[in-house]
Amino acid sequence: MVIGKRCSRLALAAFIPLSTIPNPAFAQGGPKALPGPTEAQLAKLKVIYEDLHANPELSMQETRTAGIAAKWLKDQGFEVTEGVGGTGVVGLLRNGDGPTVLLRADMDGLPMKENTGLPYASTKKGTDPASGRETAIAHSCGHDLHVTWLMGATQILAANKEKWHGTVMAVFQPGEEIGEGAKAMVDDGMVKRFPKPVVTLGQHVLPFPAGQVRLASGPVLSRSDSMKVTLYGRGGHGSGPESTIDPVVMAAATVMRLQTIVSREVSMSDSAVISVGSMLAGSSANIIPDEAQLQLNVRTYDDGVRDKVLASIKRVIDGEAAISGAPKPPLLTMLGQFPLTVNDEEATAKVTEALKHRLGADTVRTASSANASEDFTVFARAWDVPSVFWFVGGTDPKLYAEAEKAGTLNELPSNHSPEYAPVLTPTLRTGVETMLAASGHWLAPGAADSQAR
C-alpha cells in the first residue's frame, strides 16, 4: 500500500544517526549566548524521546511522564513543584536579577492506535475517561517531542547560567488534548504560587519540512468547542421498527443536517468547521436502542460566528429530534473548550528576529492560521502577559518535496494520524534551538545582535 511505503520511509528517516546528516540551518557560526545541544546531548534526548513515545499517557493521567520531567528538572538544579492542576510540573531556575520567561510543553497522548511501524511504537492501552472504554494510546500529536525539546533546553540553560540572567519557568502541562490542563493549573493557584512571567513561549511540531520554523502575529490557531449530544428514542426489536423511535436514524439524519450549517449559513468571508468525531448507539444487529450519542467539535475564529454556529447546532439537533417524534428533547453537554490562540505582535516580532539570527533567515517562514486549537494561551491570559506560539517542521524534507511536486501533500501523515511520527533529524535539534533562541531574547539580550555581527 502507498501508506505502508510512506510509513516505512518515515520510519527509516527517524533512525538515521543524528550525527550523520548535515544541518545547514545550524552551520552559521558566530558567538551564541546559549550554546546549542551537543551530539552527546542529542543522543541522550533521542533515548528519552523514544521512551516517552513508547509510553504515552492519556490526558490528566500523565503520572509517569510528569515524574520523568520533574526528576530531570531537579537534576538540573530547578526548584520543582509537582501535582499542579493534577499532574502538572512547574520548575523554576532563578539566576539573579532579570525577567521571568515561561517555557511550556504539553505531555498527554491520544486515545488511538499507532500505526507507524516504528520499533518504539506504542502498544499501551488505558481507559478513556470520555467514553469509559478501553482504548489504545499513542503520541500521534507530537507531545512526546515537545517534552523532549523542553528537557533539552532546560539542561542547556542550567549548564550556562553565566550567559543569562533572570528566571526560567519550565511548565510541563497535562491535558492539552481535552482543553483542561492549562485551566486546571491556573485553577490550582498557578498565578499566585509562581512569579509573573514577562512572556509565555510555546511551540508545536507540524507536518512541514523538518528544519523549518513558522510563526506569525495575530490569530494563529482557532477557537474550539466540543460537545456531546444524547438523542433519545424508543427501543425495540429490529424486526418491528414501526413500534420504535429509532435513535440511530435520528443520529444519522442529524449528522448529515449538521454539515449544511457551514455550507449554507456561514458566509464565505468567515470561517468555521463542524466535525462529528464519534457516533455511539446500540449493541446488537437486531435491537433498536433507545438512545444514541454524538460527539462533535466546532472551530471558529470569530465570537459572532461561533455564537451563530452553536445556536444552529442546537436548532438542528432539536429539530431532528422533534421530526423523529423523540420522547424527550436531546441533551447537549459541553466538553472541552479552547480559546483563540493569538500571538502578541511585539513579542512575535522579537521572537522572529531571534529565530532568524540563530537559525538563518531562510529557515524562518510566516505561518498561516490553522483550524487546530490549543490551550497554551490560558497561561498568558491568566497573568495578562504576551504570548508567542510557533511551529516546527517534522517531516522528512525530501519526502515533503516529492509530495509537493506530485500534489499529494494532503496524503502525508499529519498530527492525529495513526501513521504520524516526526523524523528526529533535524527536528530534535531544531526544537531545542528555537526554545533557546526565543527565551534568549529576554534572558540574554544583545546576544542575537552579537551573533548577527
Side-chain angles (χ1 to χ4, degrees):
M1 293 175 62
V2 174
I3 289 179
K5 292 179 180 177
R6 182 163 62 247
C7 293
S8 298
R9 295 175 69 182
L10 284 171
L12 178 62
F15 278 96
I16 297 174
L18 292 166
S19 60
T20 63
I21 298 181
N23 189 4
F26 305 101
Q28 299 180 84
K32 294 179 182 178
L34 295 167
T38 65
E39 291 301 324
Q41 287 172 319
L42 288 173
K44 185 174 183 179
L45 291 174
K46 180 175 181 288
V47 172
I48 293 170
Y49 166 80
E50 291 178 357
D51 175 71
L52 294 173
H53 187 90
N55 294 280
E57 296 169 293
L58 291 173
S59 301
M60 308 307 291
Q61 300 177 24
E62 309 91 341
T63 305
R64 181 181 185 274
T65 307
I68 291 171
K71 183 180 184 305
W72 179 272
L73 292 177
K74 290 175 184 177
D75 289 345
Q76 311 307 322
F78 280 71
E79 305 167 25
V80 178
T81 304
E82 300 179 67
V84 182
T87 56
V89 177
V90 178
L92 294 175
L93 187 62
R94 305 178 195 269
N95 189 28
D97 294 336
T100 297
V101 175
L102 185 153
L103 301 175
R104 174 268 207 173
D106 39 8
M107 301 186 291
D108 49 334
L110 288 161
M112 60 184 291
K113 184 178 180 180
E114 179 176 349
N115 189 31
T116 61
L118 293 167
Y120 53 89
S122 169
T123 58
K124 296 296 181 180
K125 293 184 178 181
T127 301
D128 183 2
S131 65
R133 300 185 177 187
E134 184 180 68
T135 178
I137 313 173
H139 262 307
S140 297
C141 196
H143 295 186
D144 46 352
L145 187 56
H146 302 171
V147 171
T148 309
W149 281 338
L150 184 51
M151 291 173 70
T154 54
Q155 182 183 42
I156 291 171
L157 286 160
N160 292 274
K161 294 177 71 174
E162 74 283 358
K163 301 187 179 193
W164 61 273
H165 299 283
T167 299
V168 175
M169 186 189 308
V171 175
F172 291 88
Q173 179 207 309
E176 185 279 332
E177 292 292 352
I178 58 174
E180 294 182 8
K183 183 179 183 298
M185 295 185 78
V186 169
D187 289 347
D188 198 15
M190 189 169 177
V191 171
K192 295 181 179 179
R193 296 167 66 183
F194 303 102
K196 180 178 181 177
V198 297
V199 68
T200 62
L201 304 173
Q203 57 185 2
H204 204 299
V205 63
L206 287 183
F208 57 85
Q212 280 190 21
V213 181
R214 298 180 182 179
L215 76 164
S217 62
V220 291
L221 293 173
S222 67
R223 179 165 184 160
S224 171
D225 296 274
S226 294
M227 62 201 77
K228 180 173 71 174
V229 177
T230 303
L231 298 165
Y232 300 101
R234 184 170 65 240
H237 201 286
S239 65
E242 72 281 359
S243 65
T244 72
I245 297 174
D246 193 338
V248 177
V249 175
M250 193 188 311
T254 300
V255 170
M256 296 304 295
R257 182 69 180 180
L258 287 172
Q259 306 311 307
T260 67
I261 293 175
V262 173
S263 65
R264 297 277 77 94
E265 300 183 37
V266 176
S267 168
M268 64 179 292
S269 61
D270 293 320
S271 177
V273 172
I274 300 175
S275 295
V276 179
S278 171
M279 183 167 135
L280 302 174
S283 59
S284 175
N286 67 342
I287 301 173
I288 294 174
D290 58 6
E291 69 175 50
Q293 287 188 354
L294 304 175
Q295 291 189 74
L296 55 146
N297 177 259
V298 178
R299 309 285 173 134
T300 53
Y301 280 97
D302 178 87
D303 285 342
V305 174
R306 171 184 179 265
D307 292 344
K308 178 181 176 71
V309 168
L310 292 182
S312 296
I313 288 173
K314 187 176 188 311
R315 186 195 74 239
V316 167
I317 291 168
D318 288 343
E320 290 294 342
I323 291 172
S324 300
K328 59 181 177 178
L331 175 63
L332 193 154
T333 305
M334 296 303 294
L335 302 175
Q337 294 180 307
F338 294 80
L340 191 66
T341 300
V342 181
N343 280 346
D344 178 81
E345 184 176 358
E346 182 179 349
T348 301
K350 294 174 180 178
V351 171
T352 302
E353 198 63 24
L355 293 177
K356 286 182 176 179
H357 279 307
R358 188 164 187 118
L359 307 182
D362 292 341
T363 302
V364 182
R365 312 286 178 88
T366 301
S368 302
S369 57
N371 287 336
S373 302
E374 259 278 357
D375 65 352
F376 165 70
T377 58
V378 168
F379 298 119
R381 292 167 187 254
W383 267 295
D384 192 22
V385 298
S387 67
V388 185
F389 194 76
W390 64 90
F391 310 103
V392 178
T395 299
D396 175 13
K398 183 179 179 181
L399 186 62
Y400 187 93
E402 291 173 353
E404 187 173 36
K405 184 177 180 180
T408 57
L409 283 178
N410 285 340
E411 297 180 18
L412 291 175
S414 59
N415 307 71
H416 291 219
S417 161
E419 285 84 28
Y420 184 65
V423 294
L424 295 185
T425 302
T427 313
L428 185 54
R429 179 192 289 273
T430 304
V432 176
E433 292 273 6
T434 50
M435 280 205 151
L436 294 172
S439 61
H441 174 83
W442 284 271
L443 298 172
D449 294 336
S450 173
Q451 182 181 342
R453 291 194 294 271

